[in-house]
Amino acid sequence: MELDLGSLLHALIPTWNSVAVLGVYFGYLAIAGSILPGKVVSGVTLQDGSRLHYRCNGLLSLLLLVGLLGVGAQMEIVSATVISERGLELLSATFIFSVVVTMMLYVAGRLSKNKVSSLRPHVTGNLIEDWWFGIQLNPQFFSIDLKFFFVRAGMMGWLFINLSVLAKSIQNGTLNQSMILYQSFCTLYILDYFFYEEYMTSTWDIIAERLGFMLVFGDLVWIPFTFSIQGWWLLRNNVELTTAAVIANCFVFLLGYMVFRGANKQKHDFKKDPKAPIWGRAPRVIGGKLLASGYWGIARHCNYLGDLMLALSFSLPCGISSPVPYFYPIYLLILLIWRERRDEARCAEKYREVWAEYRQLVPWRILPYLY
């Protein structure tokens, strides 16, 4: 046990190689995000009437980086398995980076005198709360919106961890149907995220959450390193699935995707054009503010149901012999119930009687007839 613990602690110590990997990665994203072409999307109107603008070129940035790394691997300039071989030290290096960044954000926020809504400091006086939740809504670094940048880095990081695990599986000669299913589902989900990247600009994290340790750690550490647990587990465990299990897994993924993407698209389209038809009909709107048609007429947080089904589909290729690969869907269930409660409280305060009417019309929170 002492040897194992010692080896684990040694593997967690960042090296200059891991620092260099992170530096090159963040540097590429900063440059590519600034110069590559992409649709410029206006964010929601903030309290002072201002709007931020986002260059949604994440998909092009991702595909270009995958291509560059592929060429580099073929020329033996970079190793396709570097992340899978240095996963723990990259984890600790990213964690340290997250702590340092949030300390800098805290100091910058406390010193800021800016009156613009996106940069106005919100100081509670509680050190832990201000550090955890952040002080500024949309802090920037050399005109880069850090909140948008970090979530992009985390989602891409998740894919690159998976691809490195896949390369290691091929190198080891252990690639099987379960790994292919897991990799396929995650890759489709991440590519879809960047294809619809503009939808991210209207999510609660972007429009309402301040940038503190909660979001920075969540984006840079939690998303890429915990959402990929199934891949790491499959790398060390051989799982053989029946044909029925494969079909059922695909069904869960497709149904989850339909609900998740459909609900988010309906909400995004409604915010852009409140009269846009939903499922071929004029939308039902409560109090001129709340959409009560389509998926949003079935459950008040129906997008969470799709998200949970997708998370489950990422874990099902691992079989049921261990609870470890199910960490992500279990965690997500707890998170989304907590978040749904926060959403309910905020909406009740913001919309008052309109929200009460919506709750009466749509009584189900996430899963119709159950919750």
Side-chain angles (χ1 to χ4, degrees):
M1 284 296 292
E2 292 181 0
L3 179 61
D4 291 341
L5 180 60
S7 300
L8 176 62
L9 293 175
H10 184 267
L12 281 168
I13 299 175
T15 64
W16 286 113
N17 286 332
S18 60
V19 173
V21 169
L22 285 181
V24 171
Y25 178 59
F26 290 135
Y28 168 83
L29 291 184
I31 295 172
S34 300
I35 66 175
L36 291 180
K39 182 179 181 181
V40 178
V41 177
S42 298
V44 299
T45 303
L46 302 177
Q47 289 183 348
D48 61 358
S50 63
R51 301 180 74 179
L52 298 176
H53 302 280
Y54 302 91
R55 185 183 298 275
C56 296
N57 56 9
L59 183 61
L60 179 58
S61 300
L62 174 62
L63 295 178
L64 178 59
L65 183 53
V66 169
L68 290 173
L69 291 176
V71 172
Q74 286 293 323
M75 298 176 65
E76 298 185 353
I77 298 174
V78 297
S79 170
T81 60
V82 63
I83 300 176
S84 61
E85 293 168 351
R86 297 179 177 271
L88 289 176
E89 65 179 73
L90 284 169
L91 168 62
S92 58
T94 309
F95 174 78
I96 293 170
F97 177 80
S98 300
V99 173
V100 172
V101 165
T102 47
M103 286 180 175
M104 295 172 65
L105 288 172
Y106 175 82
V107 172
R110 290 299 302 264
L111 297 177
S112 175
K113 304 297 182 183
N114 207 303
K115 301 299 182 182
V116 180
S117 289
S118 61
L119 298 174
R120 183 189 305 136
H122 299 263
V123 181
T124 67
N126 184 314
L127 172 64
I128 300 301
E129 183 176 343
D130 290 339
W131 175 72
W132 180 267
F133 290 108
I135 293 178
Q136 294 176 301
L137 185 63
N138 295 96
Q140 297 185 353
F141 182 73
F142 287 105
S143 299
I144 297 174
D145 185 288
L146 292 179
K147 190 189 294 184
F148 196 66
F149 176 84
F150 288 150
V151 71
R152 176 182 285 185
M155 290 297 292
M156 288 191 190
W158 178 15
L159 178 62
F160 285 115
I161 289 175
N162 279 349
L163 291 178
S164 186
V165 168
L166 175 63
K168 189 66 175 178
S169 177
I170 295 173
Q171 184 183 85
N172 293 344
T174 59
L175 181 64
N176 58 19
Q177 192 177 54
S178 296
M179 178 67 83
I180 293 173
L181 269 183
Y182 165 73
Q183 293 284 348
S184 298
F185 292 156
C186 289
T187 300
L188 288 171
Y189 177 80
I190 295 168
L191 289 177
D192 172 83
Y193 171 88
F194 285 109
F195 186 82
Y196 292 103
E197 190 177 28
E198 66 177 281
Y199 291 8
M200 185 64 192
T201 62
S202 61
T203 60
W204 184 262
D205 283 354
I206 293 293
I207 66 179
E209 294 281 13
R210 299 188 296 276
L211 186 62
F213 183 76
M214 182 181 73
L215 284 187
V216 175
F217 173 82
D219 290 340
L220 296 183
V221 180
W222 193 259
I223 288 177
F225 289 98
T226 65
F227 289 14
S228 58
I229 284 176
Q230 301 93 322
W232 293 104
W233 192 86
L234 285 171
L235 190 60
R236 293 163 177 79
N237 296 272
N238 183 46
V239 177
E240 296 295 336
L241 299 175
T242 65
T243 302
V246 172
I247 294 173
N249 199 169
C250 291
F251 175 78
V252 172
F253 174 79
L254 292 174
L255 184 59
Y257 175 79
M258 181 180 70
V259 175
F260 172 77
R261 178 50 61 211
N264 283 315
K265 186 177 188 304
Q266 288 176 356
K267 181 177 68 173
H268 183 78
D269 291 345
F270 175 74
K271 288 182 177 181
K272 291 179 64 177
D273 179 10
K275 296 182 179 180
I278 302 292
W279 288 346
R281 298 181 180 180
R284 182 172 185 177
V285 183
I286 305 298
K289 299 177 180 179
L290 299 177
L291 176 64
S293 291
Y295 290 106
W296 302 96
I298 298 174
R300 300 195 297 274
H301 307 277
C302 51
N303 55 324
Y304 290 171
L305 175 60
D307 219 353
L308 288 168
M309 293 183 70
L310 286 170
L312 179 61
S313 75
F314 299 156
S315 298
L316 287 174
C318 301
I320 57 174
S321 64
S322 170
V324 172
Y326 289 86
F327 173 83
Y328 174 36
I330 292 171
Y331 146 77
L332 191 64
L333 175 62
I334 297 170
L335 172 70
L336 293 183
I337 290 177
W338 172 74
R339 176 170 286 189
E340 169 264 320
R341 298 284 173 152
R342 288 180 67 198
D343 292 348
E344 290 277 326
R346 285 170 171 169
C347 290
E349 180 181 356
K350 180 178 181 180
Y351 297 110
R352 300 184 182 277
E353 65 276 359
V354 176
W355 184 253
E357 183 180 350
Y358 179 50
R359 287 188 61 181
Q360 187 174 9
L361 180 66
V362 185
W364 307 109
R365 295 171 180 261
I366 296 177
L367 183 60
Y369 303 105
L370 286 179
Y371 180 74

